[in-house]
């Protein structure tokens, strides 16, 4: 059973920078896991931010960036805005056509 | 503009069946993997299944294997999820999404399994 880990919650000040991470219960995340990131506000469908580690989806501002930091995938938000307050999910490709989501990070902007 | 519209959700008794549909437009459906993702009330996202462009490859999360079947009709630009032997824990909003990387999402359809 593959476990994908995310911080349950995080807080950032308006205008600040925050990095959310996506790890594996055992092992390191690399680009071969093709990490993707999604933003979701209550009652709405998820919105795709980043795919294939660091490719921004259409219309996503460049304040959002994806990378590999150490042994985890990372989503960095620079110049945080009030409407960035959302749940953020990562998903990893673990092979054989199977993908696994992390539990999500609730980001508060205050 | 890419559009994905799910339908077919509703209330079903445990052990029952339901077939979800997803109507796609705004892209070449027959050239795209498609996926289903679900979200139980108040919980996180869970990847459920995906299907290759021509339907020749299908993959499922362990918890639905043998109960759910993903399929597609490229002539109708439609994706389906046949759900059998439904359980209370299958209660969720079900989203269809374009590609393995879930590049675009529909608005979802709610499935409630309850007696």
């Amino acid at each position: 059973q593959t476990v994908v880990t995310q911080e349950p919650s995080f807080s950032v000040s308006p205008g600040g920078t925050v990095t959310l991470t996506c790890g594996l219960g055992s092992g390191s995340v690399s680009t071969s896991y093709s990490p993707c990131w999604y933003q979701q506000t209550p009652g709405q469908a998820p919105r795709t931010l980043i795919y294939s580690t660091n490719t921004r989806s259409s219309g996503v501002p460049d304040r959002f960036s994806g990378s590999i930091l150490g042994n985890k995938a990372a989503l960095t938000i620079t110049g945080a805005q009030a409407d960035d307050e959302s749940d953020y999910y990562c998903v990893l490709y673990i092979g054989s056509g199977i993908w696994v989501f992390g539990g999500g990070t609730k980001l508060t902007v205050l | 503009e890419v559009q994905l519209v799910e339908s077919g959700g509703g209330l079903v008794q445990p052990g029952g069946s339901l077939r979800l549909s997803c109507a796609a437009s705004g892209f070449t459906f027959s050239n795209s993997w498609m996926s289903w993702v679900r979200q139980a009330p108040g919980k996180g996202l869970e990847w459920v299944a995906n299907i290759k462009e021509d339907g020749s490859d299908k993959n499922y999360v362990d918890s639905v294997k043998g109960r759910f079947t993903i399929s597609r009709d490229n002539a109708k630009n439609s994706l389906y999820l046949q759900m059998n032997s439904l359980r209370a824990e299958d209660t969720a909003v079900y989203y269809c999404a374009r590609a393995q990387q879930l590049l675009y999402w529909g608005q979802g359809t709610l499935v409630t399994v309850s007696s």
Side-chain angles (χ1 to χ4, degrees):
Chain A
Q1 177 98 0
T2 300
V3 176
V4 177
T5 61
Q6 293 186 250
E7 299 88 357
S9 62
F10 227 115
S11 170
V12 63
S13 299
T17 296
V18 62
T19 297
L20 311 182
T21 68
C22 177
L24 283 170
S26 59
S28 298
V29 177
S30 65
T31 56
S32 64
Y33 285 87
S34 194
C36 308
W37 292 90
Y38 309 91
Q39 177 190 49
Q40 188 182 35
T41 52
Q44 298 297 313
R47 170 199 182 196
T48 306
L49 297 175
I50 301 288
Y51 62 96
S52 299
T53 305
N54 56 12
T55 303
R56 266 185 299 276
S57 191
S58 175
V60 174
D62 58 9
R63 313 187 285 106
F64 294 89
S65 61
S67 64
I68 300 291
L69 285 180
N71 62 350
K72 295 182 179 183
L75 173 71
T76 299
I77 307 171
T78 57
Q81 301 177 358
D83 60 4
D84 294 336
E85 187 161 293
S86 302
D87 294 326
Y88 292 84
Y89 294 92
C90 70
V91 73
L92 300 178
Y93 178 67
I94 63 168
S96 303
I98 306 296
W99 295 74
V100 179
F101 276 97
T105 297
K106 185 176 185 63
L107 181 67
T108 301
V109 180
L110 53 75
Chain B
E1 179 194 3
V2 173
Q3 282 204 317
L4 298 167
V5 180
E6 302 93 338
S7 60
L11 175 64
V12 61
Q13 292 189 339
S17 298
L18 214 52
R19 188 196 196 205
L20 306 183
S21 300
C22 172
S25 61
F27 65 101
T28 306
F29 181 76
S30 59
N31 289 350
S32 188
W33 278 76
M34 294 296 294
S35 304
W36 286 100
V37 174
R38 67 183 179 183
Q39 186 169 35
K43 302 297 185 182
L45 300 172
E46 180 181 35
W47 177 86
V48 174
N50 61 24
I51 184 169
K52 196 176 178 180
E53 295 94 331
D54 62 358
S56 62
D57 188 10
K58 305 174 185 181
N59 303 288
Y60 301 91
V61 67
D62 283 348
S63 59
V64 308
K65 278 181 185 174
R67 300 189 301 123
F68 290 12
T69 301
I70 189 171
S71 63
R72 64 192 297 159
D73 185 336
N74 286 345
K76 295 182 177 180
N77 287 348
S78 292
L79 176 72
Y80 306 102
L81 187 67
Q82 177 67 44
M83 304 186 296
N84 299 330
S85 303
L86 282 161
R87 307 166 179 167
E89 54 265 36
D90 295 319
T91 294
V93 174
Y94 285 74
Y95 297 99
C96 72
R98 177 185 173 190
Q100 291 202 58
Q101 297 94 336
L102 316 172
L103 299 181
Y104 294 92
W105 299 66
Q107 286 303 304
T109 187
L110 176 62
V111 172
T112 303
V113 184
S114 175
S115 54

